[in-house]
Amino acid sequence: MNDSPEIITTVRDLRARVSGWRRAGETVGMVPTMGFLHDGHMSLVRNSRAQNNRTVVSIFVNPKQFDRASDLEAYPRDMDRDAALLAAGGVDAIWSPEPEEMYPPGFATSVDVSGLTDCLCGATRSGHFAGVAVVVTKLLLQCLPDRAYFGRKDYQQLMVVRRMVADLNIPVEIRGIDTVRESDGLAMSSRNWHLTEAERAVAPQLFGVLTDIAEVAGRGEDVRPTIDKGLKRLERAGFGAVDYLEVRDAENLELSHRPKRPARAFAAIYLGKARLIDNVPVDTPT
Ligand code: PAF
């Protein structure tokens, strides 16, 4: 039985704890989350634990990255369950500030990463990446870990964070970790919680469609006919509005119908109330 991780709620206490570890010569890994943890998060924790002496997991449902107040309110939360999972996962501390600690009255700063945030989720979710960028900047500066871990499921977020950390000289190494999937291929996500049983049964078809598109792209063929077929298949399966289903460059995220450089197939599509996002790598011909 592991000791329960300490729950830290003020920046002052977080800094004191982390600087104590650093003085003792220990390295620190950070896993930023919004809680309601699943095995995708725990895989980030396992990576951090394997690569650092100490691991801090932040749990903060960031109001600035939600475009609608109703989404923020509906976001699932369960601190007791999260704390138990993190205790079993051997985490050292949970950084769980109240919104007023993160954004005190008068808070007025924004962090805007241009270019990378115009496409994919940035095209439809106005303000989302500005909200992510400001909170991740704050989380990294509050904790100052050696390394921070982000899932490739939110691939655009990972690219935005990498760009921002490089541009602002934030002294933290960003590590991207592969998506964890259910046995039928569905990417793990807190949003899967919104799926009904019938929706859950068809949800893995999204991964199937992305895999088909990535295979065609990997053969050096134009992906557009396969994307059209995929859209029809998803519609027949009961999926709703499509935000995007496309192939983009893995680094600059530019649209690419016949990629010659490392690329990924990306999707965001509604299934009932859930907006599912996923992406898979394309093995481009050399
Ligand atoms: O990926 C998430 O859960 C969030 O966007 C993050 C990185 C914790 C920032 O709030």
Side-chain angles (χ1 to χ4, degrees), residues 7-253:
I7 299 183
I8 301 175
T9 58
T10 66
V11 176
R12 204 179 61 176
D13 288 351
L14 178 68
R15 291 236 163 98
R17 181 64 67 249
V18 173
S19 51
W21 291 334
R22 284 190 173 287
R23 275 198 303 278
E26 294 181 312
T27 56
V28 182
M30 178 180 218
V31 179
T33 83
M34 298 208 297
F36 212 69
L37 305 175
H38 50 67
D39 203 49
H41 298 110
M42 297 315 289
S43 156
L44 305 181
V45 168
R46 285 191 290 275
N47 275 275
S48 174
R49 290 250 299 143
Q51 295 161 18
N52 303 278
N53 302 112
R54 301 284 184 172
T55 291
V56 177
V57 174
S58 64
I59 296 184
F60 179 68
V61 182
N62 174 32
K64 286 196 186 286
Q65 71 188 76
F66 288 83
D67 358 302
R68 285 185 304 219
S70 55
D71 286 353
L72 171 62
E73 229 152 80
Y75 202 82
R77 295 165 168 88
D78 191 342
M79 188 54 157
D80 291 345
R81 182 177 154 278
D82 288 349
L85 278 172
L86 296 176
V91 161
D92 297 279
I94 300 175
W95 167 223
S96 176
E98 290 296 325
E100 306 75 52
E101 179 74 5
M102 188 61 86
Y103 301 117
F107 186 88
T109 298
S110 52
V111 180
D112 177 24
V113 181
S114 59
L116 286 174
T117 57
D118 295 341
C119 62
L120 298 171
C121 290
T124 48
R125 302 190 62 196
S126 91
H128 169 70
F129 283 114
V132 170
V134 76
V135 84
V136 173
T137 301
K138 283 181 65 83
L139 290 167
L140 296 180
L141 294 176
Q142 288 160 346
C143 182
L144 278 181
D146 295 274
R147 302 179 186 87
Y149 295 80
F150 294 84
R152 293 202 173 95
K153 186 180 121 339
D154 295 307
Y155 190 84
Q156 187 178 16
Q157 169 172 281
L158 173 64
M159 292 298 109
V160 169
V161 168
R162 279 197 197 287
R163 179 79 262 156
M164 178 187 93
V165 161
D167 290 354
L168 298 179
N169 304 106
I170 300 177
V172 177
E173 187 193 329
I174 302 302
R175 296 222 163 154
I177 304 297
D178 277 344
T179 304
V180 179
R181 299 182 180 280
E182 306 283 358
S183 55
D184 57 11
L186 178 65
M188 290 196 184
S189 165
S190 313
R191 284 163 197 269
N192 298 347
W193 178 82
H194 292 292
L195 298 173
T196 63
E197 209 176 306
E199 289 161 358
R200 173 64 189 82
V202 298
Q205 294 202 34
L206 182 57
F207 178 56
V209 165
L210 282 171
T211 307
D212 290 348
I213 295 169
E215 259 170 35
V216 169
R219 291 202 296 269
E221 294 169 23
D222 189 323
V223 292
R224 282 169 288 191
T226 314
I227 290 179
D228 288 343
K229 254 181 27 204
L231 287 169
K232 290 196 186 96
R233 176 176 162 194
L234 293 173
E235 195 187 337
R236 275 197 309 273
F239 282 76
V242 180
D243 277 352
Y244 53 80
L245 179 62
E246 53 201 22
V247 172
R248 287 185 176 262
D249 188 279
E251 251 170 61
N252 59 29
L253 301 184

